[in-house]
């Protein structure tokens, strides 16, 4: 009995020592219902925390102790809100919260100024905070499969944004500020209620190579008549020509971009 207990203690001690030395805590599919205290006690040692596919209901306030954490992955849990002290995680670059039950994001999200990737698809978001515009280093934003009716005007201040995914929502129109996203390469808004997009979008977003608006009210005629359409088409074609020349495999929908006829 004592031997087994000793082995269990050693195993736990070894695991904690490994987490501390590597900075990587991976506890996927561990049937966790709460954050393990031993993880929170690691404080500054944690660089990556992956608790995907557990049964976590909330993120504790003590997560703010993990001040050096760069990657937070909490996909496929039961989380319904984020702590208001989230902004203290100033080193955070990647946050993945797909497949939870989150209904809103705190204004403090805007304090995560080093954030480069935010993926929060498959939740229950009704809106995004205006403070999202403070995320000047954000290159990827995925808010697909939520209940969004609009994107905030401030999203146009995410100047580093290259990919915006907002499929499967209830969005009716895009803010004019989207035209400020000069690095935007991919814009996906499939299965929304978009009837028009900002008239200068194709002209001003000169890096845009992919726009997907399938299952929306907007018509192909509207799209083709937009200023900058021919330049956009040239960029799109050039991109796929490069892929084909490089023998990159393209799926059946690889060349099927734009809007429904």
């Amino acid at each position: 009995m004592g031997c087994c207990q000793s082995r269990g203690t050693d195993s736990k001690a070894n695991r904690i020592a490994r987490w501390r030395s590597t900075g990587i805590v991976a506890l996927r599919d561990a049937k966790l219902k709460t954050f393990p205290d031993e993880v929170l006690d690691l404080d500054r040692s944690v660089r990556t925390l992956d608790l995907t596919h557990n049964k976590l209901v909330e993120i504790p306030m003590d997560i703010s102790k993990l001040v050096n954490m760069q990657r937070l992955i909490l996909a496929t849990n039961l989380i319904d809100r984020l702590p208001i002290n989230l902004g203290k995680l100033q080193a955070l670059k990647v946050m993945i919260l797909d497949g939870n039950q989150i209904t809103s994001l705190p204004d403090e999200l805007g304090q995560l100024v080093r954030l480069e990737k935010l993926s929060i698809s498959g939740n229950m978001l009704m809106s995004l905070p205006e403070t999202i515009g403070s995320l000047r280093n954000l290159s990827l934003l995925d808010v697909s499969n939520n209940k969004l009716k609009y994107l905030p005007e401030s999203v146009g201040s995410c100047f580093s944004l290259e990919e915006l995914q907002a499929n499967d929502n209830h969005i009716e129109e895009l803010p004019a500020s989207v035209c400020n996203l000069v690095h935007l390469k991919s814009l996906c808004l499939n299965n929304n209620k978009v009837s028009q997009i900002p008239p200068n979008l194709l002209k001003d977003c000169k890096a845009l190579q992919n726009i997907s608006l399938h299952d929306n009210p907007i018509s192909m005629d509207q799209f083709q008549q937009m200023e900058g359409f021919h330049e956009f088409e040239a960029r799109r074609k050039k991109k796929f020509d490069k892929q084909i020349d490089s023998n990159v495999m393209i799926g059946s929908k690889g060349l099927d971009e734009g809007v429904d006829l």
Side-chain angles (χ1 to χ4, degrees):
M1 181 78 174
C3 178
C4 291
Q5 186 175 5
S6 176
R7 272 206 300 265
T9 303
D10 288 344
S11 175
K12 184 177 179 180
N14 288 340
R15 183 170 62 174
I16 292 172
R18 185 173 67 251
W19 290 344
R20 195 178 295 278
S21 65
T22 65
I24 300 172
V25 179
L27 288 169
R28 290 186 168 218
D29 302 290
K31 300 180 180 179
L32 298 173
K33 293 184 178 179
T34 59
F35 267 66
D37 288 337
E38 59 265 31
V39 173
L40 297 172
D41 290 342
L42 290 171
D43 293 351
R44 297 175 178 272
S45 299
V46 178
R47 298 292 192 277
T48 295
L49 176 58
D50 185 352
L51 301 181
T52 297
H53 204 262
N54 281 286
K55 298 179 180 180
L56 301 172
V57 175
E58 64 178 2
I59 302 173
M61 295 284 281
D62 279 351
I63 198 171
S64 62
K65 295 194 296 185
L66 309 181
V67 292
N68 289 327
M69 183 165 57
Q70 297 180 11
R71 296 170 58 86
L72 176 61
I73 308 169
L74 298 172
T76 323
N77 278 282
L78 303 170
I79 299 163
D80 61 0
R81 67 173 67 90
L82 303 183
I84 58 173
N85 63 348
L86 187 74
K88 292 185 178 180
L89 300 176
Q90 289 286 297
L92 205 60
K93 293 183 178 181
V94 174
M95 184 160 64
I96 300 176
L97 300 164
D98 303 327
N100 280 281
Q101 299 175 9
I102 300 168
T103 56
S104 65
L105 298 174
D107 288 341
E108 287 76 11
L109 177 73
Q111 297 172 17
L112 302 176
V113 293
R114 290 186 176 86
L115 202 63
E116 297 173 3
K117 178 180 180 179
L118 174 60
S119 188
I120 191 166
S121 66
N123 279 272
M124 303 172 70
L125 293 174
M126 303 286 287
S127 63
L128 299 176
E130 285 288 341
T131 55
I132 201 167
S134 299
L135 305 180
R136 303 295 169 85
N137 289 305
L138 197 67
S139 62
L140 182 146
L141 174 61
D142 188 348
V143 292
S144 296
N145 196 17
N146 278 282
K147 297 184 178 181
L148 299 172
K149 293 185 177 179
Y150 65 93
L151 297 177
E153 191 73 30
S154 63
V155 77
S157 295
C158 297
F159 296 124
S160 298
L161 202 61
E162 295 182 5
E163 185 174 351
L164 175 54
Q165 299 265 353
N167 300 314
D168 301 301
N169 280 285
H170 307 296
I171 298 169
E172 297 182 3
E173 62 180 1
L174 292 177
S177 64
V178 171
C179 298
N180 298 332
L181 301 176
V182 295
H183 298 291
L184 190 66
K185 295 178 180 178
S186 179
L187 174 62
C188 295
L189 291 159
N190 294 325
N191 195 25
N192 277 281
K193 299 181 179 180
V194 178
S195 57
Q196 60 181 8
I197 54 179
N200 292 332
L201 180 71
L202 299 182
K203 179 172 69 77
D204 292 345
C205 295
K206 297 186 185 302
L208 196 62
Q209 298 174 339
N210 167 41
I211 182 166
S212 195
L213 290 159
H214 296 294
D215 298 313
N216 281 282
I218 189 170
S219 70
M220 178 61 86
D221 283 345
Q222 286 175 273
F223 188 64
Q224 290 178 335
Q225 289 170 14
M226 290 179 61
E227 188 175 357
F229 173 76
H230 295 297
E231 291 82 359
F232 163 73
E233 273 291 284
R235 289 194 302 273
R236 188 173 74 97
K237 185 176 183 302
K238 184 177 180 181
K239 173 186 133 181
F240 284 114
D241 284 347
K242 279 185 179 179
Q243 289 181 328
I244 293 170
D245 288 344
S246 301
N247 294 319
V248 175
M249 293 299 292
I250 298 176
S252 60
K253 292 187 176 181
L255 291 164
D256 182 25
E257 301 177 81
V259 298
D260 290 321
L261 293 171

